[in-house]
Amino acid sequence: MISASILSADFSRLREEVSAVIAAGTDRIHLDVMDGHFVPNLTFGPPVIRSLGKVSRPMDAHLMVETPERYVAAFSEVGCEVITVHVEATRHLHKLLTDIRDAGARAGVSLNPATPAEMIYPVIPFIDVILVMTVNPGFGGQKMIPEVLRKVRKIREKINESGREIVLEVDGGVKVANIREVARAGATRFVVGSGIFKAPDYHATIEKLKEEVSLAHALSV
Ligand code: DX5
Ligand code: ZN
């Protein structure tokens, strides 16, 4: 349930950082792809992901890009298991999500903090992951916007009502200190960037993150 975002990793040693965080216990690798248009930052694309070589955990591409339609095939080809696009970045969300699945990846849809949950209700039958942004996308190390947890709870209810196996993932400002609250809001997958890569001990941090999530589940029964 922990997906380490490499945005805060040391890019001069990216392959080693990915191996280190996998050895430290992350379940997935979260790739923050930014184009400098949809968000005011520019990161990396398929060539960098290819340079990572064989990655022994599923990789999720979080496309914070305009016209995500242009990139679906490329991210599927470099082995991204989930391709997540922003509902705000396309006019034809249903078509884009089916294109992602046709390309052999799972389809994820992400909402910025101010985007209402209702925006993704019509595509619930066509998605595998809902990624709720708890920061304004573009940078790691930001503080979580706690009010967004209300939206997480709302989407959790909607997923339960639908009876579908959809992963509810939260991205932005997740730390050891707040992950229990995020889990109690109904999230089942947690993107953590600076909370891991800026910590002195990746393994101890990931263990603590997982402990907090298990505590949240224990408290909710
Ligand atoms: C922000 C990215 C997030 C971010 C998470 O645009 O989508 O994945 O890197 O990093 P932290 O955990 O540092 O907020
Ligand atoms: Zn992300």
Side-chain angles (χ1 to χ4, degrees):
M1 84 272 292
I2 300 296
S3 186
S5 157
I6 62 167
L7 186 63
S8 296
D10 176 350
F11 278 21
S12 72
R13 301 183 307 109
L14 202 47
R15 197 184 263 214
E16 295 91 285
E17 287 273 70
V18 169
S19 312
V21 80
I22 287 174
T26 191
D27 302 295
R28 308 180 78 84
I29 298 292
H30 184 87
L31 305 167
D32 283 314
V33 178
M34 303 179 189
D35 67 355
H37 295 281
F38 183 75
V39 289
N41 196 358
L42 195 56
T43 55
F44 50 78
V48 171
I49 298 168
R50 191 178 292 111
S51 76
L52 294 175
K54 186 87 196 75
V55 174
S56 60
R57 290 291 178 284
M59 294 190 296
D60 303 339
H62 176 192
L63 301 187
M64 290 163 273
V65 301
E66 295 295 349
T67 53
E69 292 79 359
R70 292 169 57 190
Y71 305 99
V72 168
F75 281 95
S76 176
E77 267 147 41
V78 289
C80 292
E81 195 209 58
V82 180
I83 297 176
T84 298
V85 293
H86 271 261
V87 59
E88 307 90 354
T90 180
R91 287 192 180 79
H92 303 288
L93 183 59
H94 172 270
K95 168 99 178 59
L96 175 53
L97 294 166
T98 39
D99 287 352
I100 291 171
R101 282 183 162 174
D102 291 351
R106 289 174 192 275
V109 62
S110 186
L111 305 99
N112 285 335
T115 302
E118 288 75 4
M119 286 292 280
I120 53 103
Y121 286 4
V123 294
I124 280 189
F126 312 101
I127 48 178
D128 303 293
V129 181
I130 299 173
L131 181 69
V132 178
M133 296 307 297
T134 39
V135 294
N136 290 300
F139 300 91
Q142 300 180 80
K143 203 174 154 334
M144 176 179 292
I145 305 165
E147 291 78 4
V148 179
L149 293 182
R150 213 152 40 92
K151 179 163 63 172
V152 175
R153 274 189 281 279
K154 199 169 164 184
I155 295 176
R156 165 50 58 205
E157 274 162 43
K158 193 70 188 170
I159 293 173
N160 293 351
E161 254 169 57
S162 76
R164 290 181 171 275
E165 290 290 308
I166 297 173
V167 172
L168 180 47
E169 186 174 31
V170 165
D171 184 358
V174 179
K175 303 280 192 277
V176 169
N178 62 24
I179 193 170
R180 192 188 306 188
E181 192 192 352
V182 179
R184 299 195 69 181
T188 52
R189 192 177 288 174
F190 310 86
V191 176
V192 182
S194 53
I196 293 173
F197 285 103
K198 301 299 176 213
D201 181 334
Y202 294 171
H203 180 257
T205 305
I206 292 174
E207 285 307 300
K208 271 206 214 99
L209 287 163
K210 291 185 173 182
E211 228 169 82
E212 284 297 308
V213 173
S214 318
L215 270 174
H217 293 155
L219 290 171
S220 64
V221 292

